[in-house]
Amino acid sequence: MTKKIKIETELEIFESVSDLPESIQELMNKAHAARNSAYAPYSSFHVGAAIKLANGEVVTGNNQENAAFPSGLCAERVAAFYAGSQYPGVAFHAIALTAGSLKQTTITPIPPCGACRQSLAEYEVNQKKPIPIYFMGEMGKVVKVDSVKDLLPLVFDSSYL
Ligand code: THU
């Protein structure tokens, strides 16, 4: 018997940063600050990430590009790998992301790329607790997902190895 299964993703959409809970507004403000220091001379697309950790620390990152293009790294992975290296085993409470281009004003909420979703999933699977992710452009609406799995259903994890 053939079966079809539907996978649903729920997005919560906030009209602006000011509608977010205060602690997430603060986190998003740190992501904006991080975006402003991105090194993105090739794409002019600047991304900032801020991760609130279970120990109260906030770790930020931004995209770091390279003349050999694939050698660069996205903001989300810069932040996540820094958190993982400095605070091993400390859970991620929430992630805030903002992206904007120097070429135009970005009001569309920009979600993390596929590779970053996979990298973030590793931390979520290990900590056994979903990580809410808030993402936006430079301004405007903010989208919240409750878990990395909402962005990456059928995640590949170590249970398959
Ligand atoms: N970028 C990120 O930092 N995060 C994403 O999730 C998508 C893309 C960066 C990589 C590159 O420096 C620039 O944005 C354009 O792709």
Side-chain angles (χ1 to χ4, degrees):
M1 245 276 276
T2 312
K3 253 201 216 170
K4 270 193 184 171
I5 295 171
K6 223 177 226 158
I7 298 172
E8 285 187 350
T9 288
E10 196 173 69
L11 306 177
E12 195 174 340
I13 299 164
F14 298 81
E15 275 310 305
S16 77
V17 172
S18 53
D19 290 341
L20 295 169
E22 218 165 285
S23 64
I24 302 299
Q25 288 188 35
E26 283 168 23
L27 193 65
M28 190 57 88
N29 288 341
K30 288 181 176 160
H32 282 290
R35 174 167 53 79
N36 287 328
S37 334
Y39 175 66
Y42 305 105
S43 71
S44 298
F45 193 73
H46 293 205
V47 185
I51 304 177
K52 175 90 177 191
L53 299 175
N55 63 5
E57 293 287 337
V58 172
V59 164
T60 63
N62 47 38
N63 49 328
Q64 296 294 313
E65 296 188 347
N66 193 280
F69 289 2
S71 300
L73 198 63
C74 292
E76 295 87 331
R77 277 177 286 167
V78 169
F81 294 163
Y82 183 77
S85 64
Q86 296 302 304
Y87 304 102
V90 178
F92 293 7
H93 258 6
I95 302 178
L97 305 173
T98 166
S101 171
L102 297 182
K103 298 171 192 162
Q104 74 219 2
T105 306
T106 308
I107 55 164
T108 310
I110 309 290
C113 78
C116 287
R117 295 176 197 198
Q118 179 65 37
S119 291
L120 294 173
E122 183 81 13
Y123 297 93
E124 184 174 275
V125 168
N126 286 348
Q127 72 183 41
K128 298 184 183 70
K129 203 175 163 228
I131 307 169
I133 302 178
Y134 298 79
F135 57 90
M136 66 181 298
E138 285 163 69
M139 53 176 68
K141 291 185 171 48
V142 183
V143 175
K144 177 194 181 192
V145 289
D146 291 329
S147 162
V148 180
K149 281 182 192 139
D150 286 316
L151 295 175
L152 189 64
L154 306 183
V155 59
F156 180 86
D157 64 31
S158 60
S159 68
Y160 297 130
L161 297 176

PDB file of all heavy atoms in Angstrom, residues 27 30-32 34-35 47-51 58-63 74-80 95-98:
ATOM      1  N   LEU A  27      18.096  40.159  21.864  1.00  0.00           N
ATOM      2  CA  LEU A  27      18.898  39.210  21.076  1.00  0.00           C
ATOM      3  C   LEU A  27      18.973  39.665  19.619  1.00  0.00           C
ATOM      4  O   LEU A  27      20.043  39.638  18.994  1.00  0.00           O
ATOM      5  CB  LEU A  27      18.272  37.807  21.190  1.00  0.00           C
ATOM      6  CG  LEU A  27      19.126  36.653  20.699  1.00  0.00           C
ATOM      7  CD1 LEU A  27      20.384  36.496  21.560  1.00  0.00           C
ATOM      8  CD2 LEU A  27      18.326  35.339  20.692  1.00  0.00           C
ATOM      9  N   LYS A  30      21.337  42.434  19.046  1.00  0.00           N
ATOM     10  CA  LYS A  30      22.738  41.971  18.980  1.00  0.00           C
ATOM     11  C   LYS A  30      23.042  41.367  17.610  1.00  0.00           C
ATOM     12  O   LYS A  30      24.153  41.506  17.086  1.00  0.00           O
ATOM     13  CB  LYS A  30      23.017  40.975  20.103  1.00  0.00           C
ATOM     14  CG  LYS A  30      23.067  41.695  21.431  1.00  0.00           C
ATOM     15  CD  LYS A  30      23.366  40.802  22.602  1.00  0.00           C
ATOM     16  CE  LYS A  30      23.480  41.693  23.850  1.00  0.00           C
ATOM     17  NZ  LYS A  30      23.314  41.007  25.098  1.00  0.00           N
ATOM     18  N   ALA A  31      22.050  40.723  17.023  1.00  0.00           N
ATOM     19  CA  ALA A  31      22.235  40.172  15.665  1.00  0.00           C
ATOM     20  C   ALA A  31      22.423  41.314  14.663  1.00  0.00           C
ATOM     21  O   ALA A  31      23.264  41.239  13.768  1.00  0.00           O
ATOM     22  CB  ALA A  31      21.036  39.297  15.287  1.00  0.00           C
ATOM     23  N   HIS A  32      21.645  42.391  14.832  1.00  0.00           N
ATOM     24  CA  HIS A  32      21.798  43.562  13.938  1.00  0.00           C
ATOM     25  C   HIS A  32      23.202  44.155  14.082  1.00  0.00           C
ATOM     26  O   HIS A  32      23.835  44.499  13.081  1.00  0.00           O
ATOM     27  CB  HIS A  32      20.756  44.626  14.272  1.00  0.00           C
ATOM     28  CG  HIS A  32      19.389  44.333  13.735  1.00  0.00           C
ATOM     29  ND1 HIS A  32      19.083  44.371  12.392  1.00  0.00           N
ATOM     30  CD2 HIS A  32      18.246  43.975  14.353  1.00  0.00           C
ATOM     31  CE1 HIS A  32      17.814  44.060  12.218  1.00  0.00           C
ATOM     32  NE2 HIS A  32      17.271  43.804  13.402  1.00  0.00           N
ATOM     33  N   ALA A  34      25.880  42.625  15.001  1.00  0.00           N
ATOM     34  CA  ALA A  34      26.830  41.685  14.388  1.00  0.00           C
ATOM     35  C   ALA A  34      26.788  41.824  12.858  1.00  0.00           C
ATOM     36  O   ALA A  34      27.833  41.777  12.191  1.00  0.00           O
ATOM     37  CB  ALA A  34      26.491  40.254  14.805  1.00  0.00           C
ATOM     38  N   ARG A  35      25.584  41.995  12.306  1.00  0.00           N
ATOM     39  CA  ARG A  35      25.459  42.138  10.837  1.00  0.00           C
ATOM     40  C   ARG A  35      26.286  43.312  10.343  1.00  0.00           C
ATOM     41  O   ARG A  35      26.907  43.246   9.267  1.00  0.00           O
ATOM     42  CB  ARG A  35      23.982  42.306  10.465  1.00  0.00           C
ATOM     43  CG  ARG A  35      23.767  42.603   8.981  1.00  0.00           C
ATOM     44  CD  ARG A  35      22.309  42.467   8.561  1.00  0.00           C
ATOM     45  NE  ARG A  35      21.383  43.221   9.349  1.00  0.00           N
ATOM     46  CZ  ARG A  35      21.159  44.535   9.213  1.00  0.00           C
ATOM     47  NH1 ARG A  35      21.823  45.238   8.316  1.00  0.00           N
ATOM     48  NH2 ARG A  35      20.281  45.139   9.992  1.00  0.00           N
ATOM     49  N   VAL A  47      24.912  39.348   6.950  1.00  0.00           N
ATOM     50  CA  VAL A  47      24.060  38.531   7.823  1.00  0.00           C
ATOM     51  C   VAL A  47      24.624  38.580   9.239  1.00  0.00           C
ATOM     52  O   VAL A  47      25.838  38.505   9.443  1.00  0.00           O
ATOM     53  CB  VAL A  47      24.004  37.061   7.320  1.00  0.00           C
ATOM     54  CG1 VAL A  47      23.019  36.244   8.149  1.00  0.00           C
ATOM     55  CG2 VAL A  47      23.614  37.003   5.836  1.00  0.00           C
ATOM     56  N   GLY A  48      23.716  38.697  10.196  1.00  0.00           N
ATOM     57  CA  GLY A  48      24.124  38.676  11.605  1.00  0.00           C
ATOM     58  C   GLY A  48      23.341  37.614  12.349  1.00  0.00           C
ATOM     59  O   GLY A  48      22.150  37.401  12.084  1.00  0.00           O
ATOM     60  N   ALA A  49      24.015  36.949  13.276  1.00  0.00           N
ATOM     61  CA  ALA A  49      23.369  35.897  14.065  1.00  0.00           C
ATOM     62  C   ALA A  49      23.697  36.124  15.531  1.00  0.00           C
ATOM     63  O   ALA A  49      24.820  36.517  15.872  1.00  0.00           O
ATOM     64  CB  ALA A  49      23.890  34.520  13.629  1.00  0.00           C
ATOM     65  N   ALA A  50      22.723  35.890  16.389  1.00  0.00           N
ATOM     66  CA  ALA A  50      22.968  35.959  17.839  1.00  0.00           C
ATOM     67  C   ALA A  50      22.320  34.737  18.469  1.00  0.00           C
ATOM     68  O   ALA A  50      21.157  34.422  18.183  1.00  0.00           O
ATOM     69  CB  ALA A  50      22.392  37.242  18.426  1.00  0.00           C
ATOM     70  N   ILE A  51      23.095  34.061  19.302  1.00  0.00           N
ATOM     71  CA  ILE A  51      22.599  32.841  19.956  1.00  0.00           C
ATOM     72  C   ILE A  51      22.610  33.066  21.458  1.00  0.00           C
ATOM     73  O   ILE A  51      23.652  33.387  22.046  1.00  0.00           O
ATOM     74  CB  ILE A  51      23.487  31.621  19.621  1.00  0.00           C
ATOM     75  CG1 ILE A  51      23.582  31.440  18.105  1.00  0.00           C
ATOM     76  CG2 ILE A  51      22.943  30.354  20.289  1.00  0.00           C
ATOM     77  CD1 ILE A  51      24.506  30.302  17.673  1.00  0.00           C
ATOM     78  N   VAL A  58      25.531  35.381  25.409  1.00  0.00           N
ATOM     79  CA  VAL A  58      25.056  35.564  24.030  1.00  0.00           C
ATOM     80  C   VAL A  58      26.277  35.547  23.123  1.00  0.00           C
ATOM     81  O   VAL A  58      27.241  36.286  23.359  1.00  0.00           O
ATOM     82  CB  VAL A  58      24.281  36.888  23.848  1.00  0.00           C
ATOM     83  CG1 VAL A  58      23.966  37.139  22.377  1.00  0.00           C
ATOM     84  CG2 VAL A  58      22.985  36.872  24.659  1.00  0.00           C
ATOM     85  N   VAL A  59      26.226  34.683  22.130  1.00  0.00           N
ATOM     86  CA  VAL A  59      27.329  34.572  21.178  1.00  0.00           C
ATOM     87  C   VAL A  59      26.830  35.112  19.839  1.00  0.00           C
ATOM     88  O   VAL A  59      25.710  34.796  19.427  1.00  0.00           O
ATOM     89  CB  VAL A  59      27.739  33.084  21.043  1.00  0.00           C
ATOM     90  CG1 VAL A  59      28.591  32.859  19.818  1.00  0.00           C
ATOM     91  CG2 VAL A  59      28.476  32.633  22.285  1.00  0.00           C
ATOM     92  N   THR A  60      27.623  35.947  19.197  1.00  0.00           N
ATOM     93  CA  THR A  60      27.197  36.475  17.905  1.00  0.00           C
ATOM     94  C   THR A  60      28.174  36.074  16.807  1.00  0.00           C
ATOM     95  O   THR A  60      29.316  35.688  17.088  1.00  0.00           O
ATOM     96  CB  THR A  60      27.085  38.020  17.931  1.00  0.00           C
ATOM     97  OG1 THR A  60      28.374  38.567  18.195  1.00  0.00           O
ATOM     98  CG2 THR A  60      26.085  38.490  18.970  1.00  0.00           C
ATOM     99  N   GLY A  61      27.711  36.208  15.582  1.00  0.00           N
ATOM    100  CA  GLY A  61      28.573  35.924  14.433  1.00  0.00           C
ATOM    101  C   GLY A  61      28.024  36.631  13.213  1.00  0.00           C
ATOM    102  O   GLY A  61      26.874  37.097  13.209  1.00  0.00           O
ATOM    103  N   ASN A  62      28.865  36.734  12.207  1.00  0.00           N
ATOM    104  CA  ASN A  62      28.411  37.305  10.935  1.00  0.00           C
ATOM    105  C   ASN A  62      29.110  36.573   9.804  1.00  0.00           C
ATOM    106  O   ASN A  62      30.053  35.810  10.039  1.00  0.00           O
ATOM    107  CB  ASN A  62      28.675  38.813  10.894  1.00  0.00           C
ATOM    108  CG  ASN A  62      30.074  39.146  11.358  1.00  0.00           C
ATOM    109  OD1 ASN A  62      31.012  38.423  11.059  1.00  0.00           O
ATOM    110  ND2 ASN A  62      30.223  40.226  12.113  1.00  0.00           N
ATOM    111  N   ASN A  63      28.639  36.786   8.574  1.00  0.00           N
ATOM    112  CA  ASN A  63      29.250  36.029   7.480  1.00  0.00           C
ATOM    113  C   ASN A  63      30.645  36.553   7.172  1.00  0.00           C
ATOM    114  O   ASN A  63      30.917  37.748   7.221  1.00  0.00           O
ATOM    115  CB  ASN A  63      28.354  35.986   6.234  1.00  0.00           C
ATOM    116  CG  ASN A  63      27.812  37.320   5.789  1.00  0.00           C
ATOM    117  OD1 ASN A  63      27.563  38.214   6.592  1.00  0.00           O
ATOM    118  ND2 ASN A  63      27.641  37.466   4.497  1.00  0.00           N
ATOM    119  N   CYS A  74      28.883  31.192   6.509  1.00  0.00           N
ATOM    120  CA  CYS A  74      27.669  31.931   6.878  1.00  0.00           C
ATOM    121  C   CYS A  74      27.718  32.369   8.337  1.00  0.00           C
ATOM    122  O   CYS A  74      28.363  31.725   9.185  1.00  0.00           O
ATOM    123  CB  CYS A  74      26.440  31.049   6.707  1.00  0.00           C
ATOM    124  SG  CYS A  74      26.037  30.625   5.007  1.00  0.00           S
ATOM    125  N   ALA A  75      26.954  33.413   8.624  1.00  0.00           N
ATOM    126  CA  ALA A  75      26.880  33.978   9.984  1.00  0.00           C
ATOM    127  C   ALA A  75      26.411  32.941  11.002  1.00  0.00           C
ATOM    128  O   ALA A  75      26.941  32.876  12.123  1.00  0.00           O
ATOM    129  CB  ALA A  75      25.898  35.147   9.974  1.00  0.00           C
ATOM    130  N   GLU A  76      25.427  32.146  10.627  1.00  0.00           N
ATOM    131  CA  GLU A  76      24.851  31.180  11.574  1.00  0.00           C
ATOM    132  C   GLU A  76      25.902  30.176  12.030  1.00  0.00           C
ATOM    133  O   GLU A  76      25.967  29.805  13.206  1.00  0.00           O
ATOM    134  CB  GLU A  76      23.699  30.408  10.913  1.00  0.00           C
ATOM    135  CG  GLU A  76      22.505  31.256  10.532  1.00  0.00           C
ATOM    136  CD  GLU A  76      22.600  31.889   9.154  1.00  0.00           C
ATOM    137  OE1 GLU A  76      23.717  32.169   8.676  1.00  0.00           O
ATOM    138  OE2 GLU A  76      21.538  32.110   8.558  1.00  0.00           O
ATOM    139  N   ARG A  77      26.714  29.717  11.076  1.00  0.00           N
ATOM    140  CA  ARG A  77      27.724  28.716  11.441  1.00  0.00           C
ATOM    141  C   ARG A  77      28.891  29.348  12.176  1.00  0.00           C
ATOM    142  O   ARG A  77      29.458  28.739  13.075  1.00  0.00           O
ATOM    143  CB  ARG A  77      28.165  27.931  10.206  1.00  0.00           C
ATOM    144  CG  ARG A  77      27.189  26.789   9.903  1.00  0.00           C
ATOM    145  CD  ARG A  77      27.550  26.056   8.653  1.00  0.00           C
ATOM    146  NE  ARG A  77      27.234  26.856   7.472  1.00  0.00           N
ATOM    147  CZ  ARG A  77      27.659  26.594   6.243  1.00  0.00           C
ATOM    148  NH1 ARG A  77      28.450  25.560   6.044  1.00  0.00           N
ATOM    149  NH2 ARG A  77      27.285  27.340   5.228  1.00  0.00           N
ATOM    150  N   VAL A  78      29.239  30.590  11.820  1.00  0.00           N
ATOM    151  CA  VAL A  78      30.285  31.277  12.581  1.00  0.00           C
ATOM    152  C   VAL A  78      29.856  31.343  14.050  1.00  0.00           C
ATOM    153  O   VAL A  78      30.618  31.002  14.963  1.00  0.00           O
ATOM    154  CB  VAL A  78      30.551  32.698  12.009  1.00  0.00           C
ATOM    155  CG1 VAL A  78      31.427  33.514  12.945  1.00  0.00           C
ATOM    156  CG2 VAL A  78      31.197  32.591  10.620  1.00  0.00           C
ATOM    157  N   ALA A  79      28.607  31.740  14.286  1.00  0.00           N
ATOM    158  CA  ALA A  79      28.113  31.880  15.670  1.00  0.00           C
ATOM    159  C   ALA A  79      27.976  30.516  16.350  1.00  0.00           C
ATOM    160  O   ALA A  79      28.408  30.343  17.499  1.00  0.00           O
ATOM    161  CB  ALA A  79      26.767  32.612  15.669  1.00  0.00           C
ATOM    162  N   ALA A  80      27.389  29.555  15.647  1.00  0.00           N
ATOM    163  CA  ALA A  80      27.135  28.243  16.277  1.00  0.00           C
ATOM    164  C   ALA A  80      28.451  27.540  16.607  1.00  0.00           C
ATOM    165  O   ALA A  80      28.603  26.948  17.680  1.00  0.00           O
ATOM    166  CB  ALA A  80      26.280  27.376  15.352  1.00  0.00           C
ATOM    167  N   ILE A  95      17.813  31.595  18.782  1.00  0.00           N
ATOM    168  CA  ILE A  95      18.705  32.181  17.770  1.00  0.00           C
ATOM    169  C   ILE A  95      17.959  33.319  17.073  1.00  0.00           C
ATOM    170  O   ILE A  95      16.780  33.160  16.714  1.00  0.00           O
ATOM    171  CB  ILE A  95      19.118  31.123  16.721  1.00  0.00           C
ATOM    172  CG1 ILE A  95      19.819  29.943  17.395  1.00  0.00           C
ATOM    173  CG2 ILE A  95      20.014  31.743  15.642  1.00  0.00           C
ATOM    174  CD1 ILE A  95      20.216  28.816  16.438  1.00  0.00           C
ATOM    175  N   ALA A  96      18.641  34.453  16.896  1.00  0.00           N
ATOM    176  CA  ALA A  96      18.077  35.571  16.139  1.00  0.00           C
ATOM    177  C   ALA A  96      18.954  35.833  14.924  1.00  0.00           C
ATOM    178  O   ALA A  96      20.185  35.834  15.033  1.00  0.00           O
ATOM    179  CB  ALA A  96      18.004  36.820  17.015  1.00  0.00           C
ATOM    180  N   LEU A  97      18.325  36.050  13.782  1.00  0.00           N
ATOM    181  CA  LEU A  97      19.048  36.246  12.525  1.00  0.00           C
ATOM    182  C   LEU A  97      18.508  37.465  11.787  1.00  0.00           C
ATOM    183  O   LEU A  97      17.291  37.679  11.754  1.00  0.00           O
ATOM    184  CB  LEU A  97      18.857  35.025  11.605  1.00  0.00           C
ATOM    185  CG  LEU A  97      19.220  33.656  12.173  1.00  0.00           C
ATOM    186  CD1 LEU A  97      18.803  32.559  11.201  1.00  0.00           C
ATOM    187  CD2 LEU A  97      20.714  33.592  12.454  1.00  0.00           C
ATOM    188  N   THR A  98      19.430  38.210  11.204  1.00  0.00           N
ATOM    189  CA  THR A  98      19.013  39.335  10.360  1.00  0.00           C
ATOM    190  C   THR A  98      19.934  39.392   9.153  1.00  0.00           C
ATOM    191  O   THR A  98      21.137  39.110   9.258  1.00  0.00           O
ATOM    192  CB  THR A  98      19.060  40.672  11.136  1.00  0.00           C
ATOM    193  OG1 THR A  98      18.971  41.750  10.194  1.00  0.00           O
ATOM    194  CG2 THR A  98      20.324  40.846  11.939  1.00  0.00           C
TER     195      THR A  98
END
